[in-house]
C-alpha cells in the first residue's frame, strides 16, 4: 500500500526560484493537507482541501499556493522561494476532515539558499 | 486559540519499563485527538485516534486515554522496547477550526 506519496523528497532552491511539491494518495480520501515542520515550531498547517474542488488557508499560507487537481492529488507551489521557507513539508490525507484519522507522507525536505 | 503541550520533552527509560506520555490542551471543544509516532527523517505514523465521545483506545502495547473536561490525554506504553524509540506527537482536531493543532512532541529513548 503506497498511502500518501510525496515528490520530490529533497530539493535545493535559490531565493526567488519557484517549484511545486506533488502529493498523491491512493486511499480515496476526501481531505488533504499540507504541513510544514520546523525545529521549535512544530507542525503547522499551510493549506488544506476538505474535498475535491475546495481549498482553504491554514495557519501559515503566505508565500504558498495549492491546487487540488483531483480527488487523489494535491500540490503545493512556492512561486518565489525565500530562505524562511526552508523546512520539511508533509502532505497528509484523511477520509473526513472532522473525524478522520490523518495519514502522512514521508516528507519533502526543502532548502532555500 | 488551541494550544497543545506535551511533557516531558524528552524521556529516557530502560527496556521493559512501562511509561506514560502526557498531552494537555487548552480548548476542550474537540472532534478528536490523535497520537503519532515520528522516526528521525521520516513522516508521522498514526498510532491511535480517540473521538471526543470516547475515553480510551488500545492497540497492542499502546493505550491512549482522553479526558476532555480536564484537557488531558495520556499515551501508555507497556513493556517498552528499543524499537519504541522515536518522537511521539499528539494532535487535537478542533470543533471551531479545520486544522490539527500539534504538541511539540516527546522524544523517547528506550535503552537496551
Amino acid at each position: 500500500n503506497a498511502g500518501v506519496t510525496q515528490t520530490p523528497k529533497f530539493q535545493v532552491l535559490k531565493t526567488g526560484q519557484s517549484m511545486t511539491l506533488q502529493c498523491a494518495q491512493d486511499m480515496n480520501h476526501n481531505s488533504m493537507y499540507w504541513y510544514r515542520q520546523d525545529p521549535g515550531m512544530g507542525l503547522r498547517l499551510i493549506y488544506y482541501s476538505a474535498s475535491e474542488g475546495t481549498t482553504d488557508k491554514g495557519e501559515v499560507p503566505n508565500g504558498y499556493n495549492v491546487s487540488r487537481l483531483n480527488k487523489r492529488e494535491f500540490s503545493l507551489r512556492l512561486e518565489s522561494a525565500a530562505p524562511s521557507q526552508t523546512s520539511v513539508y508533509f502532505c497528509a490525507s484523511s477520509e473526513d476532515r472532522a473525524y478522520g484519522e490523518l495519514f502522512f507522507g514521508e516528507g519533502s525536505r526543502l532548502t532555500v539558499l | 486559540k488551541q494550544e497543545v503541550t506535551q511533557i516531558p520533552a524528552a524521556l529516557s527509560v530502560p527496556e521493559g519499563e512501562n511509561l506514560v506520555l502526557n498531552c494537555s490542551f487548552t480548548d476542550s471543544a474537540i472532534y478528536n485527538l490523535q497520537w503519532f509516532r515520528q522516526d528521525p527523517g521520516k513522516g508521522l505514523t498514526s498510532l491511535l485516534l480517540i473521538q471526543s465521545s470516547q475515553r480510551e483506545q488500545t492497540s497492542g502495547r499502546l493505550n491512549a486515554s482522553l479526558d476532555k473536561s480536564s484537557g488531558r490525554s495520556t499515551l501508555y506504553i507497556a513493556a517498552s522496547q528499543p524499537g519504541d524509540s522515536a518522537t511521539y506527537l499528539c494532535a487535537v482536531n478542533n470543533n471551531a477550526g479545520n486544522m490539527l493543532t500539534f504538541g511539540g512532541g516527546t522524544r523517547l529513548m528506550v535503552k537496551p
Side-chain angles (χ1 to χ4, degrees):
Chain A
N1 289 339
V4 179
T5 303
Q6 294 180 229
T7 56
K9 289 187 172 16
F10 301 94
Q11 184 73 48
V12 178
L13 291 177
K14 293 181 180 178
T15 297
Q17 288 185 320
S18 62
M19 77 157 298
T20 300
L21 299 176
Q22 307 285 355
C23 175
Q25 51 91 8
D26 62 2
M27 295 173 282
N28 201 36
H29 284 170
N30 290 309
S31 300
M32 297 185 73
Y33 312 81
W34 277 105
Y35 285 87
R36 59 179 289 175
Q37 186 175 36
D38 303 287
M41 300 296 290
L43 276 139
R44 293 177 292 171
L45 182 67
I46 305 170
Y47 270 94
Y48 73 100
S49 171
S51 61
E52 186 178 357
T54 69
T55 61
D56 282 286
K57 296 177 180 179
E59 184 182 357
V60 288
N62 291 345
Y64 305 95
N65 286 301
V66 291
S67 295
R68 183 75 182 264
L69 305 170
N70 47 55
K71 191 170 185 179
R72 289 187 63 247
E73 298 173 288
F74 188 39
S75 64
L76 178 72
R77 181 162 179 83
L78 287 70
E79 291 291 352
S80 179
S84 61
Q85 294 178 305
T86 294
S87 187
V88 182
Y89 292 86
F90 289 100
C91 179
S93 71
S94 68
E95 183 175 353
D96 181 284
R97 176 178 66 82
Y99 298 103
E101 186 177 4
L102 212 63
F103 294 88
F104 280 79
E106 290 285 293
S108 298
R109 187 175 296 275
L110 176 65
T111 300
V112 183
L113 303 175
Chain B
K1 180 185 174 185
Q2 178 74 273
E3 293 182 4
V4 180
T5 303
Q6 291 186 246
I7 295 173
L11 182 64
S12 180
V13 300
E15 181 177 5
E17 193 162 297
N18 302 325
L19 58 100
V20 174
L21 306 181
N22 296 295
C23 173
S24 62
F25 47 95
T26 55
D27 183 353
S28 62
I30 66 171
Y31 281 131
N32 56 48
L33 183 145
Q34 197 166 351
W35 282 93
F36 295 90
R37 167 186 173 137
Q38 186 175 28
D39 293 289
K42 299 291 188 181
L44 282 69
T45 300
S46 177
L47 296 174
L48 290 164
L49 172 70
I50 310 178
Q51 301 294 351
S52 62
S53 59
Q54 297 174 319
R55 283 283 195 169
E56 64 178 336
Q57 283 285 339
T58 298
S59 176
R61 294 183 294 107
L62 305 179
N63 176 278
S65 67
L66 175 64
D67 184 342
K68 265 192 4 173
S69 60
S70 67
R72 293 174 188 266
S73 176
T74 62
L75 178 67
Y76 174 82
I77 302 177
S80 58
Q81 303 170 358
D84 295 330
S85 298
T87 296
Y88 291 80
L89 296 142
C90 71
V92 173
N93 188 353
N94 267 59
N95 282 354
N98 41 47
M99 60 186 81
L100 286 184
T101 303
F102 282 82
T106 294
R107 189 166 61 252
L108 172 66
M109 178 174 291
V110 181
K111 297 179 179 178

